[in-house]
Amino acid sequence: MQLKPQGLSEESEVSPRDMAARAAWLSFVGGLTQDQIAQQLGISRQRAQRLVARASAEGLIRVRIEHPIAACLDLERALKARFGLEQARVSPALAAGSDPLLGLAPFVAPELERIFEAEGPKVFALGTGRTLKTVVEHLRTVEGAHHKLVSLIGNVAPDGSASFYEVIMRFAEKTRARHYPMSAPVSARDDVELALYRSLPHVKASRALAKSADLAIVGIGQLGDDAPLYVDGFLTAGELTDLRTAGGVGEICGHIFDRDGRYLDHPVNHRMVGVQVPEGRMPVYCVGAGASKVPALRAALQGRLLAGLFTDEETARELISK
Amino acid sequence: MQLKPQGLSEESEVSPRDMAARAAWLSFVGGLTQDQIAQQLGISRQRAQRLVARASAEGLIRVRIEHPIAACLDLERALKARFGLEQARVSPALAAGSDPLLGLAPFVAPELERIFEAEGPKVFALGTGRTLKTVVEHLRTVEGAHHKLVSLIGNVAPDGSASFYEVIMRFAEKTRARHYPMSAPVSARDDVELALYRSLPHVKASRALAKSADLAIVGIGQLGDDAPLYVDGFLTAGELTDLRTAGGVGEICGHIFDRDGRYLDHPVNHRMVGVQVPEGRMPVYCVGAGASKVPALRAALQGRLLAGLFTDEETARELISK
DNA sequence: TCATGATATGGGCAAATGCTCAAATCTAAT
DNA sequence: ATTAGATTTGAGCATTTGCCCATATCATGA
């Protein structure tokens, strides 16, 4: 019978994660075979293999390709020229059928780190959505206590459930930045309610801070039958049809715009508690890729809503092709 | 007979490196098998394998383990406490017999990038040597045009050959930082020559800039029979013996110190054209690992010459073990 | 035009890897 | 103490990968 040693020697406190990290280090950096790793760590070959697999699965390993692929650089240049962007980054294509985020997220994360690590205190305004959430999951922890993060959009769904894609909290966790979520519903039900929400001090403060942001980072949504706004219950089927009839093709932070990137003059837009970007002088950087998002992206670019774009090769090609 | 298309279509200009990078991206980020990669790129399986191998060989791939191994964190804490360091980083051990730089260099490079990316314009003073050279080779290109790099040590060997380990030039290449090598011999032959070199305007300027540096980054040398200073011809066999008799155990930027980290009062030290660190208030960060360097490192730490240390697990363990 | 050396290509095979399954071990609740 | 359930372990095997070698292609100079 063995008792677990309780802090007796600092040596013996080895978490399974540590082992996984160590095995991964030996494998990827050291280039050892699994047999050698097993030998080195005094474990079986299978265990070594499992540790390495686990490290990969848990995202302990970050791979970065140092060489900018010429084709992607070309696309970046083309995007900048065509749409007057100050920033454009294009990730190389992965397998045709796969989720665009598979490649985009690990590509964008270091770019964001870079932006975040730069210079003095900044205010970053954040959108939400699956795209941004996935990107933020790929961020490494980076010191940023001098920055502020503020949400561009409410965090309460119509059914009252909070935090549908809590981008800002996860981001703040990784950076220790001060964060200001917009603790209010995404959308009000009528003008009275809207006025009420917007008069709440913390909402007022968040909106003011967001408007003064140095950079907004947002995703983009499409208005097809599987529009995220509809799927997540922010729009009824009727509203969705109505918006499409009115010319809506895409949406940023829940604000719907037409094919020229002009925000619709529609009740749905008027009831949003959050901020309609760009507000003031803030540059808006958008992350998004995938065939379904092309019309929305094209519209947003056309209407000069965006100052920066992170996308993948296939999407970029589509965007400049017409 | 086919003529090579000359910029006809931007599409067909694909460098082999691009292909390698793309294959590597598909393999590491996308997790595709070589067969799938081959299919995707329309090439044979063998070619795909060769491309991935090539990408690895050419260093296009940077792997980073996200999880700080607890054992290494413990060692870092111990080093900081024991030797009053402001910074200490310990890389996980690789195979016992292998070159310590194999693991240390890819570990230190991102740390350096981090330091370099931080805040406003800074002056970085650099040493030389195989260790620093290898680390700098692992740096990714990072914008740093607002920084200045200055060499702590002359760049001309006794035989007149320039640049024995041109750390500063390679560093500057990657960062576009302004750089000030010390274009002078490492060591003068007598006091008159020393005075002469030191009176040269560009040497004077470099030395002054180096002394005002915000951070010095140096390697460390040992004084065994294979002392780098001796192997590279900066010391004669006689001088080496003499220095060891006088108590010399290690050297930073060619300045020799004893086991308590006190610089020797010896002609060899007095004839160095470069700067003897630390000068003024500059913190000195040292990169170094390996059994042979332990005595030198211990001495430098003992004498509080260093404010920061980057080393590997094995060396760290040695350093705090006694 | 042809010869010559250098480089690239694909076949084949041994080593390394990933995965499944059954046995073993551990955990926790009775 | 016992047992049911969950997790971990190692053997076996199919797949994938790395590498050598014979052949083909390309570039270069006579």
Side-chain angles (χ1 to χ4, degrees), chain B residues 119-139:
Chain B
E119 302 152 57
K122 292 272 163 105
V123 178
F124 296 95
L126 299 172
T128 52
R130 194 174 75 95
T131 302
L132 283 190
K133 178 173 156 256
T134 310
V135 169
V136 170
E137 272 168 5
H138 279 77
L139 285 177

Side-chain angles (χ1 to χ4, degrees), chain B residues 2-252:
Chain B
Q2 291 184 344
L3 289 178
K4 202 183 286 175
Q6 289 265 354
L8 271 178
S9 140
E10 73 257 77
E11 199 58 55
S12 45
E13 289 291 323
V14 194
S15 91
R17 278 214 158 187
D18 284 356
M19 285 287 273
R22 193 176 285 273
W25 172 266
L26 290 168
S27 173
F28 287 85
V29 181
L32 306 197
T33 85
Q34 296 182 351
D35 267 318
Q36 294 172 298
I37 295 169
Q39 198 173 352
Q40 174 118 1
L41 299 181
I43 56 180
S44 72
R45 215 255 315 158
Q46 291 87 334
R47 200 153 134 64
Q49 125 77 2
R50 261 178 264 259
L51 285 173
V52 178
R54 179 174 175 167
S56 306
E58 293 191 15
L60 267 51
I61 291 150
R62 293 295 142 81
V63 181
R64 154 176 195 103
I65 307 291
E66 206 50 31
H67 181 76
I69 295 174
C72 293
L73 286 180
D74 285 346
L75 288 167
E76 288 167 8
R77 267 192 293 274
L79 283 171
K80 282 185 193 170
R82 171 81 171 271
F83 299 111
L85 298 174
E86 69 177 46
Q87 176 67 293
R89 297 306 320 272
V90 173
S91 77
L94 283 185
S98 63
D99 185 343
L101 283 180
L102 211 71
L104 188 59
F107 179 84
V108 172
E111 296 292 326
L112 239 52
E113 287 161 16
R114 209 185 163 67
I115 292 172
F116 206 72
E117 278 178 337
E119 302 152 57
K122 292 272 163 105
V123 178
F124 296 95
L126 299 172
T128 52
R130 194 174 75 95
T131 302
L132 283 190
K133 178 173 156 256
T134 310
V135 169
V136 170
E137 272 168 5
H138 279 77
L139 285 177
R140 63 182 168 90
T141 54
V142 49
E143 188 56 32
H146 49 303
H147 294 308
K148 291 182 183 176
L149 305 175
V150 59
S151 191
L152 284 164
I153 184 168
N155 64 354
V156 180
D159 62 2
S161 71
S163 76
F164 52 115
Y165 279 124
E166 266 302 8
V167 170
I168 196 171
M169 303 302 270
R170 287 167 183 271
F171 203 151
E173 259 172 42
K174 303 242 182 176
T175 58
R176 305 191 171 283
R178 295 175 60 188
H179 47 293
Y180 305 83
M182 194 172 289
S183 302
V186 170
S187 167
R189 266 173 310 214
D190 54 50
D191 289 354
V192 178
E193 218 183 82
L194 180 70
L196 171 66
Y197 289 137
R198 290 206 175 168
S199 71
L200 297 173
H202 66 275
V203 173
K204 223 169 181 167
S206 282
R207 279 178 50 90
L209 188 61
K211 287 180 189 176
S212 77
D214 298 292
L215 179 65
I217 300 162
V218 302
I220 192 166
Q222 39 86 20
L223 287 193
D225 290 342
D226 55 344
L229 284 185
Y230 168 62
V231 172
D232 295 336
F234 294 96
L235 292 180
T236 66
E239 283 170 328
L240 181 60
T241 315
D242 192 28
L243 284 162
R244 286 204 291 225
T245 312
V249 302
E251 143 283 309
I252 289 175

Side-chain angles (χ1 to χ4, degrees), chain A residues 10-11 13 15 17-19 21-22 24-26 28-32 40 59-72 74 91-96 102-104 106-107 110 113-114 117-120 139-143 313 317, chain B residues 10-11 13 15 17-19 21-22 24-26 28-32 40 59-72 74 91-96 102-104 106-107 110 113-114 117-120 139-143 313 317:
Chain A
E10 74 257 79
E11 199 58 56
E13 288 292 321
S15 91
R17 280 213 157 186
D18 284 357
M19 285 287 273
R22 193 176 285 272
W25 171 266
L26 290 168
F28 287 85
V29 180
L32 305 199
Q40 174 117 3
L60 267 51
I61 291 148
R62 293 295 141 83
V63 182
R64 164 182 185 97
I65 307 291
E66 206 51 32
H67 180 76
I69 296 172
C72 293
D74 286 346
S91 76
L94 283 185
L102 210 72
L104 189 59
F107 180 84
E113 287 161 16
R114 210 184 163 66
E117 277 177 337
E119 302 152 57
L139 285 176
R140 62 181 168 90
T141 53
V142 49
E143 188 57 31
E313 204 175 346
R317 230 175 270 285
Chain B
E10 73 257 77
E11 199 58 55
E13 289 291 323
S15 91
R17 278 214 158 187
D18 284 356
M19 285 287 273
R22 193 176 285 273
W25 172 266
L26 290 168
F28 287 85
V29 181
L32 306 197
Q40 174 118 1
L60 267 51
I61 291 150
R62 293 295 142 81
V63 181
R64 154 176 195 103
I65 307 291
E66 206 50 31
H67 181 76
I69 295 174
C72 293
D74 285 346
S91 77
L94 283 185
L102 211 71
L104 188 59
F107 179 84
E113 287 161 16
R114 209 185 163 67
E117 278 178 337
E119 302 152 57
L139 285 177
R140 63 182 168 90
T141 54
V142 49
E143 188 56 32
E313 203 174 347
R317 229 174 271 284

Side-chain angles (χ1 to χ4, degrees), chain A residues 2-301:
Chain A
Q2 290 185 346
L3 290 179
K4 202 180 287 176
Q6 290 264 356
L8 272 177
S9 140
E10 74 257 79
E11 199 58 56
S12 44
E13 288 292 321
V14 195
S15 91
R17 280 213 157 186
D18 284 357
M19 285 287 273
R22 193 176 285 272
W25 171 266
L26 290 168
S27 173
F28 287 85
V29 180
L32 305 199
T33 104
Q34 296 182 351
D35 268 319
Q36 293 171 298
I37 295 169
Q39 198 172 350
Q40 174 117 3
L41 300 181
I43 57 180
S44 72
R45 215 257 311 159
Q46 291 88 333
R47 201 153 135 62
Q49 125 76 4
R50 247 160 246 170
L51 286 172
V52 178
R54 179 174 176 168
S56 306
E58 293 191 15
L60 267 51
I61 291 148
R62 293 295 141 83
V63 182
R64 164 182 185 97
I65 307 291
E66 206 51 32
H67 180 76
I69 296 172
C72 293
L73 286 180
D74 286 346
L75 288 167
E76 288 168 8
R77 266 192 294 274
L79 284 170
K80 281 186 194 170
R82 171 82 171 272
F83 300 111
L85 298 174
E86 70 177 45
Q87 175 67 292
R89 296 307 318 275
V90 173
S91 76
L94 283 185
S98 63
D99 184 343
L101 282 181
L102 210 72
L104 189 59
F107 180 84
V108 173
E111 296 292 327
L112 239 52
E113 287 161 16
R114 210 184 163 66
I115 292 172
F116 206 72
E117 277 177 337
E119 302 152 57
K122 291 272 162 101
V123 177
F124 295 95
L126 300 173
T128 52
R130 195 174 74 96
T131 303
L132 282 190
K133 178 174 155 255
T134 311
V135 169
V136 169
E137 272 168 5
H138 279 78
L139 285 176
R140 62 181 168 90
T141 53
V142 49
E143 188 57 31
H146 49 303
H147 294 309
K148 290 182 182 174
L149 305 176
V150 59
S151 190
L152 284 164
I153 184 168
N155 64 354
V156 179
D159 62 2
S161 71
S163 74
F164 53 118
Y165 280 123
E166 266 301 11
V167 170
I168 195 171
M169 302 302 270
R170 286 165 184 271
F171 202 151
E173 260 171 41
K174 303 240 183 179
T175 57
R176 305 189 172 283
R178 295 174 61 187
H179 47 292
Y180 304 84
M182 193 172 291
S183 302
V186 170
S187 167
R189 267 173 310 215
D190 55 51
D191 288 354
V192 178
E193 216 182 84
L194 180 70
L196 170 66
Y197 289 137
R198 289 207 175 167
S199 71
L200 297 174
H202 65 276
V203 174
K204 223 170 183 169
S206 281
R207 281 177 50 88
L209 188 60
K211 288 180 189 177
S212 77
D214 298 291
L215 179 66
I217 300 162
V218 302
I220 192 166
Q222 38 87 20
L223 285 193
D225 290 341
D226 55 345
L229 283 184
Y230 169 61
V231 172
D232 295 336
F234 294 97
L235 292 181
T236 65
E239 284 171 327
L240 181 60
T241 316
D242 192 31
L243 284 163
R244 285 204 291 225
T245 313
V249 302
E251 147 273 318
I252 290 175
C253 295
H255 294 261
I256 288 121
F257 48 78
D258 67 15
R259 50 172 297 162
D260 295 318
R262 282 183 305 240
Y263 286 109
L264 296 187
D265 184 10
H266 188 279
V268 164
N269 271 358
H270 299 154
R271 290 186 334 230
M272 297 295 299
V273 175
V275 174
Q276 177 176 294
V277 294
E279 177 93 36
R281 285 251 171 279
M282 72 168 75
V284 178
Y285 284 14
C286 177
V287 185
S292 69
K293 296 193 171 183
V294 169
L297 277 170
R298 201 198 305 275
L301 290 165

